[in-house]
Amino acid sequence: MPRIDNDIKLDFKDVLIRPKRSTLKSRSDVDLTREFIFRHSKKTYDGIPIIASNMDTVGTFEMAIQLSKVSPKTKNLY
């Protein structure tokens, strides 16, 4: 039997994102690097987390190859 969901649904036009004041003097002061510790292997990744979108024209093998070339920590896939 289908479930009817009565929660509030919001669209992009229903939400306003306001920028917050910052103490940074320049955009070059921003540090995007993060450290990830993978739960089951205990390996770590230090870098900027960039992933390809799950879309037909973006999430292709060609995009995966190009992203692997840019990442200094990943081994070349092909």
Side-chain angles (χ1 to χ4, degrees), residues 4-43:
I4 299 175
D5 202 2
N6 291 324
D7 292 339
I8 296 174
K9 307 291 189 278
L10 298 176
D11 196 0
F12 288 108
K13 63 185 175 197
D14 300 324
V15 179
L16 173 65
I17 299 175
R18 290 184 8 195
K20 186 177 176 183
R21 291 264 181 213
S22 174
T23 58
L24 297 173
K25 301 293 182 200
S26 170
R27 288 183 287 192
S28 64
D29 295 340
V30 176
D31 182 22
L32 297 177
T33 59
R34 297 288 180 260
E35 180 181 342
F36 294 100
I37 302 172
F38 297 99
R39 187 177 301 162
H40 300 293
S41 68
K42 303 298 182 203
K43 292 183 180 181

Side-chain angles (χ1 to χ4, degrees), residues 25-74:
K25 301 293 182 200
S26 170
R27 288 183 287 192
S28 64
D29 295 340
V30 176
D31 182 22
L32 297 177
T33 59
R34 297 288 180 260
E35 180 181 342
F36 294 100
I37 302 172
F38 297 99
R39 187 177 301 162
H40 300 293
S41 68
K42 303 298 182 203
K43 292 183 180 181
T44 60
Y45 170 76
D46 236 359
I48 300 173
I50 297 177
I51 60 172
S53 175
N54 189 14
M55 297 167 53
D56 289 342
T57 58
V58 179
T60 61
F61 287 111
E62 290 82 12
M63 179 60 74
I65 292 168
Q66 292 303 317
L67 285 174
S68 71
K69 290 178 184 175
V70 173
S71 177
K73 301 274 182 172
T74 347

